[in-house]
Amino acid sequence: MDPVRLTLDQLRELRDDIAPQAARRSRASVRRRTERLRDRAFFIAQCALAAGVAWALARYAVGHKQPFFAPVAAMVCLGFSFGQRLRRVAEVMVGVAVGVGVGDLFVKVFGTGVLQLIFVIALAMTIAVLLGAGNLMTTQAGVQAAIVTTLLPNPGAGFSRWQDAALGGLVALAAATIAPAAAIRRPRQQAAGVLAELAEILVETADGLRSRDEDAVTDALRRARASESQLDDLRSAADEGVAVVRLSPFRRRQRGRVEEIAELVVPLDRAIRNIRVLVRRCAVSVWRDEAMPAEYPILLERLADGTRLIGASLFEPAAEVAAHRVLGELGRRTAELPLPAGLSAAVVLGQVRSTIVDLLELTGTSYDDARRLVPLRLDGLDES
């Protein structure tokens, strides 16, 4: 009985340990879902109102009895990022026109049936592709051909359906001009997030290099490789932010600030690539137990300090001066260090110098001025 009793006691202890963990995970899940709903609340309201307005205009202003595609087109167009909406509206309308036209023709000549449905969908989508359509326009052509052939085989309704699509698209564009401020804030927040992640990667690499910790440098390398996806998110957010301030009359006064963030993408892309190479070489040196100068972890930590300050400068301009000073001092220091004998150490030093130039450009410094702040080494080596 004792072993059974012991096992039951252990199970109770395990249950007591698991219960709080499960509760924490549940609360975290609810919090994430709530935050996601809060982020998308404006979009949900925008789609619902646009669909209602599109249907009401098509039904009461234009006089269509079944304007089913007006609200659908409005929601489809609003479902894409701001910068894509003009093209998407055109694709929806052309796709509807092709699908309705082909469907009406076949209903009138050949009637309805399984073979007619298969053929008309294939033909409508083929014509859309030959017109240079994307996936959305091609799909809309097939969908409308199917609807005309099966649900609403009425050749006379073709033009009214196209009108509904056009009306829904126009309502979507009108609704999109009332853009939420989040589209303006998001690029700046994501840029700061990328810079904060790069700083943490550099610190983790410095710690792993100092302690010769394989797990730490391996994790830093994994994070460095994953940072590319964060840059892709930033690029998309910046493109959408620029589209918002250019198209929405309510946000044009913020155009300069948004375009400044968009201009950071290219030098930030270069910085990420250089840091990724730097971290990989540090990891190789630990894996192979290669010698690395004792000062190199300090270089990485100072590089992380400069990176953090640049992220802070996106919200507090005064931090830009401090970032410029820290990076300038680090650039001059790298020119004074002796050239290391090992390959990994030489690569790390070169990547540090190149990254300094990239980060200086993020402070608004021109490329030529940034290179001058990372002077030529006495041995003639220039990695910037």
Side-chain angles (χ1 to χ4, degrees), residues 8-343:
L8 290 175
D9 290 340
Q10 290 175 336
L11 288 173
R12 291 191 186 97
E13 291 177 1
L14 183 61
R15 180 198 60 193
D16 293 340
D17 290 338
I18 291 175
Q21 295 177 8
R24 285 195 297 271
R25 284 196 296 268
S26 178
R27 287 193 296 270
S29 177
V30 171
R31 186 166 54 252
R32 285 194 301 270
R33 294 169 189 270
T34 303
E35 290 174 354
R36 191 180 302 122
L37 176 60
R38 188 183 302 116
D39 291 340
R40 298 180 183 178
F42 183 91
F43 172 72
I44 292 171
Q46 193 179 44
C47 283
L49 289 172
V53 170
W55 188 89
L57 288 175
R59 177 68 178 85
Y60 299 113
V62 181
H64 295 167
K65 293 183 178 180
Q66 293 181 316
F68 64 93
F69 200 72
V72 171
M75 289 186 289
V76 167
C77 294
L78 283 172
F80 295 93
S81 64
F82 201 99
Q84 296 176 315
R85 285 175 185 165
L86 285 173
R87 179 166 59 87
R88 295 305 188 185
V89 169
E91 285 195 7
V92 169
M93 290 190 292
V94 173
V96 171
V98 171
V100 170
V102 172
D104 279 344
L105 177 63
F106 267 75
V107 168
K108 186 174 183 178
V109 177
F110 300 105
T112 61
V114 175
L115 293 179
Q116 291 94 324
L117 175 65
I118 295 172
F119 190 80
V120 77
I121 291 174
L123 181 60
M125 296 180 77
T126 300
I127 293 174
V129 170
L130 292 176
L131 290 174
N135 288 336
L136 178 62
M137 176 175 161
T138 303
T139 302
Q140 286 299 327
V143 167
Q144 291 309 305
I147 290 174
V148 169
T149 308
T150 57
L151 297 179
L152 300 170
N154 178 11
F159 184 68
S160 66
R161 273 190 285 265
W162 189 90
Q163 284 182 316
D164 290 340
L167 183 60
L170 292 174
V171 170
L173 285 180
T177 61
I178 309 172
I184 309 298
R185 294 193 304 266
R186 190 177 297 115
R188 191 175 301 272
Q189 293 168 341
Q190 288 190 323
V194 172
L195 289 162
E197 175 67 7
L198 292 180
E200 291 180 11
I201 290 169
L202 289 168
V203 170
E204 186 174 15
T205 304
D207 292 341
L209 199 59
R210 184 180 289 113
S211 61
R212 313 301 292 177
D213 186 339
E214 291 190 10
D215 291 337
V217 294
T218 300
D219 183 65
L221 180 58
R222 177 191 58 77
R223 293 175 66 178
R225 287 170 172 166
S227 62
E228 186 70 27
S229 63
Q230 290 183 297
L231 183 67
D232 292 339
D233 293 340
L234 170 60
R235 187 179 287 109
S236 298
D239 290 343
E240 180 164 354
V242 170
V244 167
V245 295
R246 286 178 178 173
L247 295 178
S248 176
F250 306 103
R251 301 293 178 185
R252 286 181 183 172
R253 66 181 183 279
Q254 296 167 305
R255 179 170 179 172
R257 293 171 57 197
V258 174
E259 289 181 341
E260 284 178 6
I261 300 299
E263 290 171 358
L264 298 180
V265 172
V266 173
L268 189 54
D269 184 21
R270 290 197 294 265
I272 288 175
R273 294 174 188 273
N274 279 319
I275 288 174
R276 191 160 59 237
V277 175
L278 185 158
V279 174
R280 182 168 63 242
R281 206 65 224 184
C282 288
V284 168
S285 73
V286 174
W287 296 337
R288 297 179 179 175
D289 198 23
E290 298 176 351
M292 189 72 70
E295 189 171 3
Y296 280 25
I298 300 175
L299 295 181
L300 299 184
E301 289 170 344
R302 292 301 285 167
L303 193 61
D305 290 339
T307 305
R308 284 197 199 92
L309 287 168
I310 294 172
S313 71
L314 298 178
F315 302 95
E316 180 51 59
E320 187 174 293
V321 177
H324 194 277
R325 177 178 55 78
V326 168
L327 293 171
E329 291 175 355
L330 184 59
R332 290 187 291 273
R333 177 58 183 149
T334 61
E336 299 168 356
L337 294 173
L339 183 65
L343 174 62

